[in-house]
Amino acid sequence: MTETPTQYPDSEPSDGIRIGVYVCHCGLNIAGSVDCEEVAKFAAALPHVVIAKDNRYTCSDQGQELIKQDIKEHKLNRLVVASCSPRLHEPTFRRTCEEAGLNKYLFEMANIREHCSWVHLHEKGKATEKAKDLVRMAVAKATLLEPQEENVVPILRKTLVIGGGVAGIQAALDLADTGYKVYLVEKEPSIGGRMAQIDKTFPTMDCSICILAPKMSDTGRHPNIELLTNSEVEDVKGYIGNFKVQVLKKPRFVADECTACGDCSKECPVTTPNEFDIGLATRRAIYTPFAQAVPSTYIIDRDLCLNKENVITCDKCLKACEREAIDFEMKPETVELEVGTIVVATGADVYDPASLVEYGYKKFPNVITSLEFERLINAGGPSGGHLLRPSDMKIPKSVAFIQCVGSRSEKDGHLYCSNVCCMNTIKDSLLIKEHWPETRIYVFYVDIRAYGKGFEDLFKRAKKDGVLFIRGLPAEIIEDRKTNNLWLIGENTLQKELYKINPEMVILSIGIEPRQDSDVIQRLLTLSRTSDGFFMEAHPKLRPVDTPTGGVFLAGCAESPKDIKDSVTQASAASARAGILMAQGKVTVEAITPRLLAEKCQVCGLCARVCPYNAIAVDKETKRVDLIEAACAGCGTCGAECPFEALTMRHFTDEQILAQIEAATEQDADKKIVAFCCNWCSYAGADFAGVSRMQYPTNVRIIRTMCSGRVAPKFIEHTFARGVGAILVSGCHLGDCHYLNANYQTQKRIEKLWKKMERLGLDKNRLQLAWFTAAEGEKFASKIKEMQSIVDSVTLDEIEKSKVIVKRTAR
Amino acid sequence: MPLRLWRKPLDSEKIKIPEGEVHVLKDRCKGCGFCIEFCPKEVLEQSEEFNIKGVHPPQVKEETVCILCSFCEAVCPDFAIFSVKKDCKGGC
């Protein structure tokens, strides 16, 4: 361990503030491109710093022990750690503080890894200078930190599980078995999800519905589970531990008295293709989606049924039902639920290959999808388990599978690997061989990914059984008009030769894609999504089932494409995580909510108008302003809006942010970019750029706020007055804000500032506004590169001019 | 479901749907038009001809779609219309 000798400034700080600074090497992660020893020496000379050290792993037990000792020995009352992102280790060091008897809000972090060493791998000198600045900024903020008391919020011991596929079922069962009340909301008439449609599961070749059905009926019968099928979550309000959820229960028009005898369905005179069988079989207007449906109660599709609104023209089902269970008067009902935790298991959609014209799906009858195959090979399916060619209802003697349809494609479909299709095809090919061993089977693939337990064995078995694997997808499928057989033409990339194969049937191995209605859940629960469109976890490695929203967890394909085993594993993990919260029964809420300075407040009501949560009650008559702390999420938009500085955002005060700005612009301000980043999306996006080692110019200095809505115009004006080259304000995408809509205020304020700059004759290009998701590291890096050219082009005259003008006109 | 249903169901030939035959007693009709308005399958339309009462009685437009709900029969105030099960081959 390299340790810089303890250095003391010339005199003891007079105001009693004693800061300890710890610069972490993180092995070579930081020390590889930042001279940590020099940064520590620099820190030691900063005001109020009484001790500064560098060590290899500050987050290790030894590193933390050292901090604890120093806090006691040197009577430290502020702590700064320069290491990784606060999104990773802030909780760790806050705990260290508490263990040493220091209020955890007296801790500040300088992110010199994700925001420095990893993005400036080859510029050690500049990176070191940047690290010094970041430490200087952290020390400046730390000097002004105040101890805070956290509110304790009770957690309701009830859970909402959204989605009744295998992940939702598993999560519901686990939580219900633990003893918590569970509401399971499913959009479709029955729970079961995709797994119910599948014939066999890989690699064990178990019958899918046979292993799922018992779980489904357990779910339906469980005393702790309330099943809300044919229902949708309409609104979610509240916060961790205390969510208020509105669920729309759409009417089934068949009451629970239904015994699922099916007499009604036989009489029903209208038919439509059955969704469950992907249109390969017919259902009536009164129907059950499949035999094992839970609840087994039938349902009437009123869009199809002849009885519109209040006129009963056809009463065939009414007459057929002995139990008199049919009730056309049923109305939609909104149910209000109060829950402490939420598990999102909304699942995924499948890719529609019709857009890949070269494969001719929907044009050639004998080109089918892997999901259609599942229904055809299923003994309970529309063909009674016979793999029939749709063109002539004959069993094909040769079959070709095409892999990666809609997956791993730059051109059409999605960039990502859908994870399950390789094994699914191998399983399907073995199913065909089991029933019709003579069938010739070709599998056209890009790579076969048989990475899981038992997967390779199954792959070997398929090869042994004579399934032919050919590397290289066909470029085109052409139909033989007479026979309806298909010609597959392409290149075998292993043997570098062309193939032309004429199977009787083609099965497109379609990929998995995010649900089209994901944005509804995203908005209701303020979640983030990756560039692929799946919900994003709080941390890809260490918090894989948590979301950025407290009390909300992910399970199954909603998070990313995965097979049944992984979905079930993740569901159990999510229920364990939710269970931890509920077992504790309470949670502390971060002390970042505002405090009102009544003597400064003029009861103008501007704060209440911008609050996304209606957490500020203003009564102009009685001149009373009340902050409703339980409803506040701490975005700080109110603080930015208040013209009288009557709202103090705890832990992100005006003074603290201004001190960070001043520290960032102390040297060479004209060469620098000051970037305000919101905690949830853009700061996380910058972290992601770091984790992915995307290199960008070193002159950016990031200031973290909870929301871009916290960035008050005066911060920007002050930054310009300090002579900075350019400013970036960034947040979540509009409509995606972690604080509902607070970033619209950001946009409004920046647009106002642009106008003001234009009026004053300043170059408004120097103030940039950009939206990044937590997955858009690349976009962040290229934005900084783009802004570098703005900084380069700004003349010293322009900077001097803006300094003077802004100082003169600032409020 | 982004995968839209487009195939003809394999069992579409086997599904039996009742077929009705509609009979109008023209001269009883007073032309209220209830049967035309309420028929869920839009089997009926107003005819051009006049009956004994001087009104246009309904006529069958598209009999093949009648599914024998018999609502025309129920809704007619004058007992002027009725439907019966169609005789057909194949035992439907």
Side-chain angles (χ1 to χ4, degrees):
Chain A
M1 194 167 83
T2 354
E3 196 170 300
T4 314
T6 312
Q7 297 195 14
Y8 294 95
D10 300 339
S11 59
E12 275 288 296
S14 55
D15 50 5
I17 290 172
R18 301 172 63 84
I19 304 176
V21 179
Y22 295 81
V23 183
C24 181
H25 289 217
C26 195
L28 281 176
N29 281 311
I30 296 170
S33 36
V34 168
D35 186 338
C36 296
E37 206 179 318
E38 201 186 314
V39 175
K41 268 185 199 152
F42 167 82
L46 290 169
H48 299 106
V49 175
V50 295
I51 187 167
K53 292 179 175 175
D54 62 307
N55 56 8
R56 190 164 291 159
Y57 288 108
T58 311
C59 62
S60 67
D61 279 353
Q62 286 165 318
Q64 292 188 54
E65 214 42 57
L66 175 77
I67 292 174
K68 281 189 249 175
Q69 272 172 22
D70 284 353
I71 288 175
K72 290 196 182 110
E73 198 176 313
H74 299 281
K75 298 192 183 66
L76 301 179
N77 52 23
R78 302 286 190 282
L79 175 67
V80 170
V81 173
S83 58
C84 49
S85 171
R87 291 170 55 85
L88 186 68
H89 269 318
E90 190 178 60
T92 313
F93 294 118
R94 280 186 161 184
R95 213 159 34 234
T96 313
C97 285
E98 280 185 323
E99 282 164 9
L102 194 63
N103 184 286
K104 66 183 188 182
Y105 285 87
L106 297 170
F107 166 71
E108 180 63 17
M109 223 162 160
N111 185 348
I112 61 167
R113 193 179 73 171
E114 281 85 343
H115 290 186
C116 187
S117 67
W118 276 352
V119 288
H120 315 306
L121 286 172
H122 315 294
E123 299 173 276
K124 193 158 184 175
K126 282 182 174 177
T128 305
E129 286 313 302
K130 179 173 176 179
K132 284 182 191 171
D133 260 10
L134 295 178
V135 169
R136 193 206 320 257
M137 287 159 69
V139 168
K141 181 170 179 184
T143 309
L144 298 169
L145 288 176
E146 300 271 351
Q148 306 291 351
E149 288 305 317
E150 286 184 334
N151 256 5
V152 176
V153 177
I155 293 202
L156 287 171
R157 292 192 158 113
K158 293 179 201 168
T159 299
L160 167 72
V161 177
I162 310 175
V166 66
I169 288 172
Q170 185 65 41
L173 281 174
D174 281 0
L175 284 162
D177 284 344
T178 318
Y180 301 118
K181 172 88 188 168
V182 179
Y183 300 99
L184 178 57
V185 175
E186 167 60 49
K187 207 172 187 172
E188 300 295 327
S190 168
I191 57 170
R194 292 281 172 213
M195 187 177 168
Q197 288 179 292
I198 294 168
D199 181 47
K200 297 283 183 316
T201 64
F202 60 79
T204 48
M205 311 295 267
D206 284 307
C207 159
S208 188
I209 193 71
C210 312
I211 55 176
L212 180 65
K215 272 190 187 295
M216 287 166 63
S217 53
D218 283 355
T219 309
R221 271 201 313 259
H222 205 293
N224 283 344
I225 299 179
E226 190 175 326
L227 204 53
L228 297 150
T229 48
N230 209 29
S231 303
E232 282 179 53
V233 176
E234 282 215 309
D235 193 29
V236 181
K237 284 210 171 69
Y239 46 91
I240 180 169
N242 301 272
F243 294 104
K244 285 193 176 53
V245 184
Q246 275 186 15
V247 178
L248 177 71
K249 255 180 99 172
K250 288 177 279 180
R252 292 182 91 92
F253 304 105
V254 181
D256 296 340
E257 283 81 34
C258 172
T259 57
C261 67
D263 288 347
C264 53
S265 198
K266 274 179 224 145
E267 294 302 321
C268 180
V270 273
T271 61
T272 193
N274 185 357
E275 294 84 359
F276 182 78
D277 288 312
I278 322 154
L280 290 165
T282 310
R283 68 162 170 83
R284 312 277 177 149
I286 185 163
Y287 71 106
T288 186
F290 53 103
Q292 299 86 346
V294 171
S296 58
T297 313
Y298 272 52
I299 181 168
I300 299 178
D301 175 354
R302 282 303 284 274
D303 291 333
L304 185 66
C305 177
L306 298 174
N307 300 329
K308 302 287 178 247
E309 281 151 39
N310 297 321
V311 190
I312 307 297
T313 51
C314 168
D315 58 357
K316 287 179 196 286
C317 55
L318 279 169
K319 278 187 191 146
C321 183
E322 276 180 21
R323 305 272 303 205
E324 298 181 357
I326 296 165
D327 175 8
F328 281 102
E329 298 295 301
M330 277 190 190
K331 294 273 174 295
E333 192 187 336
T334 303
V335 190
E336 301 252 354
L337 306 175
E338 290 191 352
V339 295
T341 53
I342 297 176
V343 176
V344 178
T346 46
D349 275 326
V350 291
Y351 177 75
D352 183 351
S355 52
L356 300 172
V357 282
E358 62 270 32
Y359 289 159
Y361 181 70
K362 288 194 185 169
K363 209 163 90 195
F364 309 143
N366 294 335
V367 176
I368 69 167
T369 66
S370 41
L371 204 56
E372 286 171 320
F373 174 87
E374 293 295 339
R375 295 315 302 151
L376 286 176
I377 200 78
N378 185 284
S383 59
H386 298 288
L387 181 62
L388 300 180
R389 297 202 326 160
S391 70
D392 54 10
M393 298 290 169
K394 283 189 186 136
I395 295 169
K397 292 191 183 62
S398 56
V399 166
F401 286 90
I402 300 179
Q403 294 308 107
C404 295
V405 176
S407 310
R408 304 183 66 198
S409 165
E410 301 268 345
K411 221 170 54 199
D412 301 289
H414 306 289
L415 284 169
Y416 54 85
C417 164
S418 287
N419 216 309
V420 299
C421 341
C422 284
M423 288 316 295
N424 192 58
T425 289
I426 291 169
K427 172 208 79 182
D428 289 348
S429 66
L430 281 166
L431 283 178
I432 301 174
K433 283 280 178 196
E434 199 178 287
H435 293 291
W436 306 280
E438 300 306 315
T439 316
R440 264 171 297 122
I441 303 177
Y442 308 92
V443 176
F444 297 95
Y445 68 96
V446 182
D447 299 291
I448 290 290
R449 295 185 166 170
Y451 54 89
K453 187 178 181 181
F455 288 9
E456 185 67 17
D457 289 344
L458 203 71
F459 180 34
K460 277 193 187 143
R461 216 173 102 195
K463 282 199 281 193
K464 210 177 107 221
D465 284 1
V467 178
L468 211 59
F469 288 86
I470 299 167
R471 191 165 177 271
L473 301 182
E476 199 181 359
I477 297 179
I478 297 168
E479 191 188 39
D480 184 324
R481 288 265 172 88
K482 256 190 240 154
T483 59
N484 291 114
N485 291 352
L486 303 142
W487 283 104
L488 271 55
I489 304 153
E491 187 196 350
N492 182 332
T493 53
L494 285 182
Q495 297 182 340
K496 295 226 168 74
E497 59 184 27
L498 295 179
Y499 59 75
K500 195 173 177 194
I501 289 165
N502 187 218
E504 295 182 3
M505 188 178 204
V506 171
I507 298 157
L508 303 177
S509 200
I510 49 173
I512 292 173
E513 63 182 23
R515 284 191 67 98
Q516 282 195 318
D517 50 6
S518 298
D519 56 325
V520 178
I521 296 294
Q522 181 186 13
R523 183 172 44 80
L524 291 177
L525 298 172
T526 56
L527 304 178
S528 308
R529 289 199 282 161
T530 61
S531 50
D532 295 336
F534 294 99
F535 291 124
M536 201 150 119
E537 61 279 50
H539 189 277
K541 296 276 173 283
L542 301 176
R543 293 173 67 200
V545 298
D546 297 19
T547 68
T549 309
V552 180
F553 304 92
L554 297 172
C557 285
E559 184 261 334
S560 68
K562 56 176 67 68
D563 65 10
I564 293 164
K565 179 185 173 180
D566 285 355
S567 292
V568 171
T569 310
Q570 205 181 22
S572 290
S575 55
R577 297 288 294 163
I580 290 169
L581 283 177
M582 291 192 286
Q584 286 170 347
K586 57 182 198 253
V587 69
T588 50
V589 180
E590 246 196 304
I592 51 171
T593 50
R595 288 277 176 267
L596 184 74
L597 304 172
E599 66 280 8
K600 284 189 177 176
C601 177
Q602 306 287 315
V603 203
C604 67
L606 282 176
C607 52
R609 219 179 294 161
V610 297
C611 176
Y613 297 93
N614 301 323
I616 306 177
V618 177
D619 191 334
K620 289 209 172 179
E621 274 178 25
T622 56
K623 296 213 172 235
R624 225 186 119 84
V625 174
D626 281 312
L627 305 179
I628 306 153
E629 188 149 348
C632 173
C635 64
T637 309
C638 53
E641 191 74 7
C642 179
F644 309 107
E645 296 176 2
L647 286 163
T648 312
M649 289 308 301
R650 289 186 293 163
H651 211 59
F652 290 91
T653 66
D654 288 1
E655 293 75 21
Q656 288 164 4
I657 294 173
L658 290 170
Q660 280 175 292
I661 294 170
E662 285 180 10
T665 51
E666 202 166 304
Q667 276 169 358
D668 302 325
D670 59 311
K671 302 272 186 306
K672 281 181 185 159
I673 302 166
V674 169
F676 295 93
C677 291
C678 81
N679 182 60
W680 304 102
C681 288
S682 54
Y683 193 92
D687 277 358
F688 188 68
V691 174
S692 317
R693 313 294 198 277
M694 293 162 182
Q695 306 295 299
Y696 57 79
T698 55
N699 57 352
V700 58
R701 303 289 178 266
I702 294 174
I703 294 174
R704 180 173 72 116
T705 55
M706 291 314 282
C707 177
S708 62
R710 173 71 188 103
V711 182
K714 72 175 167 202
F715 298 161
I716 293 166
E717 286 169 346
H718 191 73
T719 316
F720 275 131
R722 295 280 297 174
V724 79
I727 299 174
L728 171 66
V729 177
S730 63
C732 315
H733 283 270
L734 290 171
D736 247 11
C737 182
H738 189 80
Y739 300 99
L740 308 181
N741 54 14
N743 57 359
Y744 282 95
Q745 304 302 333
T746 316
Q747 193 185 29
K748 231 185 264 172
R749 288 177 194 134
I750 300 299
E751 280 169 358
K752 234 188 211 168
L753 280 165
W754 277 333
K755 271 190 201 144
K756 188 172 174 184
M757 289 175 79
E758 265 181 343
R759 212 171 49 234
L760 297 171
L762 299 173
D763 178 9
K764 72 171 201 176
N765 258 335
R766 290 170 59 204
L767 173 60
Q768 292 280 322
L769 176 67
W771 312 121
F772 307 112
T773 68
E776 289 176 330
E778 180 123 43
K779 198 174 158 199
F780 181 84
S782 49
K783 185 75 196 171
I784 300 301
K785 278 180 211 156
E786 176 197 321
M787 288 184 70
Q788 176 65 43
S789 62
I790 297 172
V791 174
D792 289 342
S793 68
V794 173
T795 59
L796 270 179
D797 275 355
E798 162 84 21
I799 286 186
E800 284 310 313
K801 190 171 118 191
S802 55
K803 267 192 194 175
V804 174
I805 295 179
V806 171
K807 264 183 205 160
R808 203 178 57 217
T809 58
R811 272 194 303 235
Chain B
M1 244 189 216
L3 242 187
R4 251 155 283 135
L5 309 182
W6 62 283
R7 277 187 207 277
K8 191 171 157 199
L10 304 183
D11 57 358
S12 59
E13 312 277 306
K14 286 178 227 153
I15 293 283
K16 287 178 204 153
I17 291 168
E19 282 178 53
E21 214 173 78
V22 186
H23 299 275
V24 183
L25 307 173
K26 286 177 193 164
D27 287 344
R28 277 196 180 183
C29 175
K30 66 165 175 271
C32 67
F34 283 179
C35 54
I36 300 170
E37 188 183 336
F38 286 105
C39 174
K41 302 294 277 185
E42 295 176 15
V43 173
L44 301 160
E45 65 183 355
Q46 204 177 56
S47 64
E48 298 274 303
E49 66 179 292
F50 290 99
N51 69 359
I52 200 166
K53 293 180 187 164
V55 298
H56 300 292
Q59 68 181 18
V60 176
K61 173 171 66 174
E62 181 59 72
E63 192 167 76
T64 52
V65 296
C66 174
I67 45 86
L68 196 65
C69 72
S70 303
F71 194 67
C72 49
E73 204 175 309
V75 83
C76 179
D78 300 301
F79 307 102
I81 191 166
F82 65 97
S83 56
V84 291
K85 202 170 170 188
K86 203 176 193 173
D87 279 333
C88 65
K89 299 147 248 150
C92 59

